[in-house]
Amino acid sequence: MDEIKQELQSSSRATHQDYFGKALSYLCITFVGLLVLSILYFITTRGLATFTENHVSLWKFLIEKNWNPGVLDSHGQPQIGALPMIVTSFSVTVLSALVATPFALGVALFMTEIAPKRGTKVLQPVIELLVGIPSVVYGFIGLSVIVPLIRHTFGGTGFGILAGVVVLFVMVLPTITSLSIDSIKAVPMYYRSASLALGATRWQTIYKVVLRAATPGIMTAIIFGMARAFGEALAVQMVIGNAVLMPHGLLTPSSTLTSQLTTGIGNTTMGTLPNNALWSLALILLLMSLVFNILVRFIGKRGSLKK
Amino acid sequence: MQDYSFDKTHIIDIPIEKAMTTENLQVFYGDNHAMHDASLQFSRYRITALIGASGSGKSTYLRCLNRMNDRIATVKGKIMYRDMDINSPKINVYEVRKHISMVFQRPNPFAKSIRENITFALKRNGIKDKTELEERVESSLKAAALWDEVKDELDKSALALSGGQAQRLCIARCVAMKPDILLLDEPASALDPISTAKIEETLQQLRKNYSIIIVTHNMQQASRIADYTAFFHMGHVLEYDRTEKIFTNPQIKATEDYISGNFG
Amino acid sequence: MNSKTTNNIATGIIYVLVAAVVGILIFLLGYILITGLPHVSWHFLTSAAQSFRAGGGIRDQLFNSLYLLVLTLIISFPIALGSGIYLSEYAPNNWLTGLIRTAIEVLSSLPSVVIGLFGYLLFVIQFRMGFSILAGAIALTFFNLPLLTRSVEESLEDVSDLQREAGLSLGLSHWKTITGIVLPAAVPGILTGIILSAGRVFGEAAALIYTAGQSAPIVNYSNWNPMSTTSFLNPMRPAETLAVHIWKVNTEGVTPDALSISSGTSAVLIIVILLFNLSARLLGNWMYKKMTATK
């Protein structure tokens, strides 16, 4: 009797196990949290060095068109205008998302509204395989198929924004598709039955009811796709031409933030201005990634308020 | 359903040896006051049934008795077991649950073999001896009236059992821990009549060695198996007496209406 | 135009779009396999790469890719497991948990080149590791953690709460309930998650070019001492992987048969990743059957 009383009032192996387990899992999650913090910290401090140590004006960095960090201009100022890369990055991102969205919606509607069973069986693996192909393989196919094709059709070198858009379009397609599917599936069944019962055709139902209700989710899907396109490095770098020039159309070689980073980091010395300038490009990438995240959250909140 | 007064109650004290008691037990889910001042005494080696409509608080009350509500609700008041208030934060809940074990509404066997379902917790509690483990497997399955059906396939996955068999395995799993008190939360509500009859038979057998507290919404079941019955209504215990008294001569209007099928 | 015609046209357009996407995938896989497979031979898989001459193989790159994958999983799985357990079992519903979830989302949406640069800055430069397999594995761990954590968390959450209650009501500690009951029931989901993430890690290049480096020094495959500089197991040596190799031969343009090497390497890469995906699916189904049905 007293023994049981004793047991009930004192800690046992079970309580120790619990402390141990809790500590272990807290440790892991703390590590992940610290990791994210340190990534933000290191990239930010490095990226700001251009402005704090080398005293380059932030404004000039954002709007000047000449990128030549090793050379001083007539006023003795280094030429680090990141505008060409910013413009190119945004161009390939927006264009590839624009091209990909109709295809993604077509596939998503096919899998949810037109032939849910058969469609899912065939197209789910298609999406998974498109995700599975590594970005360098996309880059390689872009380089060996798309670039020559553009060269023969339009002339020029073939390298440029158009080639980048074609490659990125295929890469963001699965992202936009699978997230769109989720948001279309989340539209309640009775929306559709109500519309069909009123005599609407399937397309009217899809267009006026399903797509309207799923719009916030589809926007989120597109932003995720854009985030992927904006951050993609090697596939783009292989087909964009890597000339830091203001793009004059879709067919001239140019350079994105990511492609300039991958090309440049190995050729500059740590701590010098040309190197710092590259870290500033990385900082723009990081900030844009945060902006995409915030946009997704914002849309998620607006979308859920409407219901 | 009409409004019944919560002021008038009829709750007896248990004259014989008590397994456990609660004093002014109250449960809060956030701001929701789900259980008001429940004071009940449970007799040793008897079956006590907790009846009432859904949402009356009977399951909430039962889950307090071995502290299964810890993570989801605030529980105030005393739960006395062996002269200790086991609702105190100083109490080792894991030890409490070894003595006061619970069987749930839906059968929940582990995704392991039948044998491992029973031995898993035993091993973790330090029983390593093979023969002892074998002996516990056999005796607990016999106690739950499952032995004859599964003795040749103890290494089969427990997920392949039928609902009724799985529930009896869950009872066996608790019995193997040799607890003092068995708590059952509507153990037969998800089962067919034949399985239900088997479970009731099992409980009658277990009554010899265990104190049993069972939540049920099936009044026939309560009248068939329980020695004592408590009637719960909207978070209050309104009546508690010997079962035959509750069913033949209820003292409270709400109880009478409930057992005669006027609501619930 | 009446609504019926519109309906037919719209349906027709959707069919065309779907056919186009399927066509793109068939073209991609067909192109890689048809141009690549003829170059894949025993010699190609087992001989060293050449920089300025034709006829090089991918032996070292293939081994580096696998070695890096194994190291990455060894480092990232325990952390992802602990974090997944925290999020699914312990995380209280408050602002801190929300912040942690946001942090993980941010990490998963960071461009892999940024993660690679962070690894370069901190490990290659600051900690003086140099271009090394270890630095590469750490960068890939950062890249892999958010997805793996999420798949562990989701697999654990898929396990019914009834199982947790069953464990707790038998007097098992919360921790033993997690490790002994919930975790085994979640193994099929977790394994599928690991294999799928392995496919991603295997094909990743941007996070590696400035961490594991772009060169594959000659190593001795009979030297089993990881501390020795010539050993193939030495984690401090630079190591070019298959994916990085494709990028490198295409951008540097000094290898005469860059095209055939890249297509051969791409084919190998794709086949390995297809195998990962296929085995994830088969293993998941098989484990599920094994756990629910009779043995």
Side-chain angles (χ1 to χ4, degrees):
Chain A
M1 192 76 188
D2 278 330
E3 200 182 306
I4 291 174
K5 234 175 156 167
Q6 189 69 41
E7 276 172 20
L8 287 176
Q9 285 175 330
S10 53
S11 59
S12 62
R13 238 176 70 193
T15 29
H16 296 310
Q17 281 168 352
D18 248 13
Y19 285 129
F20 169 76
K22 241 185 178 167
L24 214 59
S25 79
Y26 276 56
L27 200 70
C28 292
I29 202 74
T30 313
F31 172 81
V32 175
L34 286 180
L35 168 66
V36 176
L37 281 183
S38 53
I39 291 180
L40 298 182
Y41 172 78
F42 275 99
I43 304 279
T44 309
T45 45
R46 277 273 99 203
L48 288 178
T50 314
F51 314 110
T52 55
E53 286 171 22
N54 306 105
H55 305 292
V56 173
S57 124
L58 173 65
W59 186 241
K60 275 194 168 169
F61 176 76
L62 290 176
I63 60 152
E64 291 271 310
K65 293 180 196 158
N66 293 320
W67 178 268
N68 214 341
V71 182
L72 300 181
D73 65 10
S74 50
H75 305 287
Q77 283 284 318
Q79 303 179 345
I80 49 166
L83 190 65
M85 287 163 285
I86 297 174
V87 169
T88 311
S89 274
F90 275 99
S91 313
V92 289
T93 302
V94 171
L95 287 175
S96 58
L98 273 182
V99 180
T101 302
F103 288 88
L105 285 182
V107 173
L109 288 174
F110 189 82
M111 286 173 70
T112 51
E113 308 294 315
I114 294 184
K117 273 215 178 113
R118 221 160 24 103
T120 308
K121 211 171 170 191
V122 178
L123 292 174
Q124 192 61 39
V126 169
I127 296 172
E128 281 169 21
L129 287 171
L130 284 175
V131 176
I133 297 176
S135 65
V136 282
V137 174
Y138 279 116
F140 164 64
I141 293 178
L143 187 65
S144 55
V145 179
I146 306 297
V147 171
L149 192 70
I150 293 175
R151 184 161 54 224
H152 288 132
T153 326
F154 302 106
T157 58
F159 292 98
I161 291 181
L162 181 61
V165 169
V166 173
V167 169
L168 283 177
F169 145 67
V170 187
M171 295 184 71
V172 300
L173 187 59
T175 312
I176 303 182
T177 310
S178 50
L179 290 170
S180 297
I181 291 172
D182 293 345
S183 72
I184 292 175
K185 270 190 186 158
V187 177
M189 213 54 207
Y190 61 82
Y191 277 41
R192 298 175 179 87
S193 355
S195 165
L196 290 171
L198 289 171
T201 60
R202 184 166 63 190
W203 173 246
Q204 282 171 332
T205 305
I206 290 175
Y207 185 69
K208 297 233 164 93
V209 179
V210 178
L211 284 184
R212 290 289 146 86
T215 301
I218 294 171
M219 295 291 285
T220 311
I222 296 172
I223 292 173
F224 270 114
M226 285 170 67
R228 186 170 181 202
F230 201 85
E232 176 51 45
L234 300 188
V236 177
Q237 194 255 3
M238 288 164 88
V239 299
I240 199 94
N242 300 311
V244 192
L245 300 168
M246 206 57 192
H248 295 289
L250 301 181
L251 297 170
T252 56
S254 46
S255 185
T256 62
L257 295 165
T258 49
S259 73
Q260 187 54 31
L261 262 175
T262 35
T263 324
I265 282 284
N267 301 328
T268 53
T269 319
M270 206 68 193
T272 60
L273 175 63
N275 186 272
N276 287 347
L278 288 172
W279 286 104
S280 302
L281 300 185
L283 180 58
I284 298 182
L285 276 179
L286 182 84
L287 292 178
M288 273 314 294
S289 162
L290 294 179
V291 167
F292 286 127
N293 255 294
I294 292 167
L295 273 180
V296 164
R297 246 153 220 268
F298 181 69
I299 292 175
K301 269 202 185 130
R302 285 277 304 273
S304 60
L305 276 180
K306 263 190 218 159
K307 273 177 193 167
Chain B
M1 193 202 306
Q2 66 184 91
D3 289 334
Y4 298 102
S5 160
F6 298 128
D7 301 331
K8 194 161 168 276
T9 60
H10 170 78
I11 291 165
I12 59 158
D13 286 344
I14 297 291
I16 52 176
E17 196 190 344
K18 291 181 268 286
M20 68 189 305
T21 63
T22 66
E23 293 167 23
N24 300 325
L25 196 75
Q26 310 204 45
V27 184
F28 299 85
Y29 293 112
D31 292 335
N32 178 15
H33 199 169
M35 189 79 233
H36 303 259
D37 288 325
S39 302
L40 291 174
Q41 304 179 341
F42 298 103
S43 163
R44 204 145 194 234
Y45 302 138
R46 293 288 184 277
I47 298 180
T48 307
L50 312 182
I51 63 170
S54 12
S56 60
K58 54 194 193 303
S59 287
T60 298
Y61 176 80
L62 187 81
R63 290 170 59 92
C64 293
L65 299 181
N66 74 341
R67 303 265 307 261
M68 289 300 284
N69 273 344
D70 274 13
R71 278 159 59 90
I72 47 178
T74 318
V75 181
K76 290 180 184 162
K78 283 185 177 169
I79 304 170
M80 300 303 293
Y81 171 70
R82 292 181 190 255
D83 302 324
M84 275 174 292
D85 176 12
I86 56 169
N87 197 30
S88 145
K90 284 182 208 142
I91 291 290
N92 182 338
V93 285
Y94 304 120
E95 291 297 322
V96 167
R97 291 173 189 150
K98 284 181 198 166
H99 299 281
I100 309 174
S101 202
M102 182 177 273
V103 175
F104 297 87
Q105 189 168 358
R106 299 245 312 275
N108 54 359
F110 301 138
K112 302 175 187 293
S113 72
I114 294 172
R115 189 198 309 277
E116 282 172 308
N117 258 275
I118 292 171
T119 56
F120 183 78
L122 297 175
K123 284 183 187 162
R124 297 303 171 285
N125 286 328
I127 300 174
K128 302 278 179 216
D129 182 46
K130 276 244 167 75
T131 42
E132 161 93 18
L133 286 171
E134 285 306 303
E135 191 274 319
R136 292 256 193 136
V137 169
E138 184 172 341
S139 64
S140 64
L141 284 173
K142 277 181 174 159
L146 190 60
W147 175 252
D148 291 334
E149 290 162 58
V150 301
K151 65 182 175 203
D152 297 325
E153 36 190 26
L154 290 177
D155 291 312
K156 229 173 81 172
S157 166
L159 299 184
L161 293 174
S162 75
Q165 289 176 321
Q167 191 63 298
R168 275 179 283 147
L169 177 63
C170 293
I171 294 176
R173 191 167 67 184
C174 288
V175 169
M177 299 288 295
K178 300 199 171 157
D180 233 10
I181 303 173
L182 267 181
L183 309 175
L184 299 103
D185 187 0
E186 304 201 29
S189 69
L191 305 179
D192 61 273
I194 296 172
S195 304
T196 305
K198 280 204 169 153
I199 300 263
E200 285 179 16
E201 215 174 289
T202 307
L203 293 179
Q204 294 290 7
Q205 291 297 316
L206 290 172
R207 180 176 171 276
K208 292 173 195 146
N209 299 308
Y210 300 91
S211 315
I212 295 173
I213 305 172
I214 175 172
V215 164
T216 176
H217 60 231
N218 179 336
M219 281 175 282
Q220 284 74 34
Q221 185 170 64
S223 66
R224 278 195 301 264
I225 61 172
D227 302 287
Y228 294 91
T229 297
F231 173 66
F232 283 65
H233 183 63
M234 298 181 78
H236 295 262
V237 192
L238 293 186
E239 188 157 2
Y240 180 47
D241 209 329
R242 300 187 59 82
T243 301
E244 61 267 24
K245 199 111 180 272
I246 292 268
F247 281 97
T248 54
N249 185 19
Q251 304 293 307
I252 303 287
K253 181 78 168 56
T255 318
E256 191 184 339
D257 286 354
Y258 180 71
I259 58 172
S260 51
N262 285 354
F263 71 91
Chain C
M1 197 167 14
N2 69 23
S3 55
K4 207 142 186 210
T5 328
T6 325
N7 185 41
N8 288 341
I9 293 176
T11 313
I13 292 176
I14 290 178
Y15 270 88
V16 170
L17 292 173
V18 169
V21 172
V22 176
I24 289 172
L25 178 78
I26 293 174
F27 164 75
L28 288 171
L29 290 184
Y31 181 82
I32 296 163
L33 296 178
I34 290 169
T35 59
L37 279 183
H39 301 289
V40 180
S41 61
W42 186 244
H43 174 79
F44 182 65
L45 293 177
T46 56
S47 56
Q50 301 290 343
S51 291
F52 303 101
R53 281 188 297 134
I58 53 167
R59 176 191 67 197
D60 302 316
Q61 284 77 11
L62 187 58
F63 173 76
N64 289 342
S65 289
L66 293 171
Y67 190 33
L68 206 51
L69 172 64
V70 171
L71 273 185
T72 303
L73 289 181
I74 290 176
I75 305 173
S76 57
F77 179 64
I79 304 173
L81 186 64
S83 309
I85 287 178
Y86 171 83
L87 289 174
S88 140
E89 309 292 326
Y90 288 116
N93 196 5
N94 60 17
W95 63 271
L96 188 64
T97 309
L99 194 68
I100 290 170
R101 283 183 197 280
T102 311
I104 292 176
E105 262 170 49
V106 167
L107 185 58
S108 81
S109 64
L110 279 185
S112 58
V113 61
V114 171
I115 291 177
L117 287 175
F118 169 73
Y120 170 68
L121 193 61
L122 194 60
F123 297 98
V124 177
I125 306 278
Q126 212 97 317
F127 295 168
R128 294 167 202 278
M129 276 187 196
F131 292 131
S132 61
I133 293 185
L134 190 59
I138 294 172
L140 284 180
T141 293
F142 298 164
F143 165 81
N144 196 20
L145 264 182
L147 267 170
L148 201 53
T149 302
R150 199 172 307 158
S151 91
V152 170
E153 185 196 349
E154 279 172 5
S155 311
L156 290 174
E157 268 168 5
D158 278 349
V159 177
S160 157
D161 257 347
L162 294 172
Q163 295 277 317
R164 295 181 181 83
E165 290 196 325
L168 288 175
S169 74
L170 291 172
L172 294 175
S173 65
H174 195 178
W175 179 244
K176 268 288 170 274
T177 304
I178 295 168
T179 54
I181 294 163
V182 181
L183 204 55
V187 162
I190 295 176
L191 264 183
T192 310
I194 293 177
I195 298 175
L196 288 178
S197 79
R200 253 167 55 93
V201 166
F202 200 77
E204 176 56 31
L208 286 178
I209 52 180
Y210 291 116
T211 50
Q214 305 163 34
S215 58
I218 302 298
V219 288
N220 180 355
Y221 285 93
S222 54
N223 184 346
W224 286 82
N225 174 12
M227 309 311 269
S228 154
T229 44
T230 56
S231 166
F232 67 109
L233 288 176
N234 177 15
M236 302 314 289
R237 67 185 169 88
E240 183 192 36
T241 64
L242 289 176
V244 174
H245 190 56
I246 296 176
W247 176 75
K248 186 136 184 267
V249 295
N250 276 299
T251 45
E252 299 223 313
V254 291
T255 320
D257 54 349
L259 188 68
S260 54
I261 287 183
S262 330
S263 36
T265 313
S266 297
V268 173
L269 204 54
I270 291 289
I271 288 169
V272 173
I273 288 170
L274 284 182
L275 285 178
F276 277 136
N277 282 13
L278 196 67
S279 57
R281 195 172 294 229
L282 293 179
L283 195 73
N285 287 346
W286 178 75
M287 302 246 336
Y288 181 77
K289 266 192 200 137
K290 198 182 159 195
M291 282 176 69
T292 48
T294 52
K295 268 181 193 172

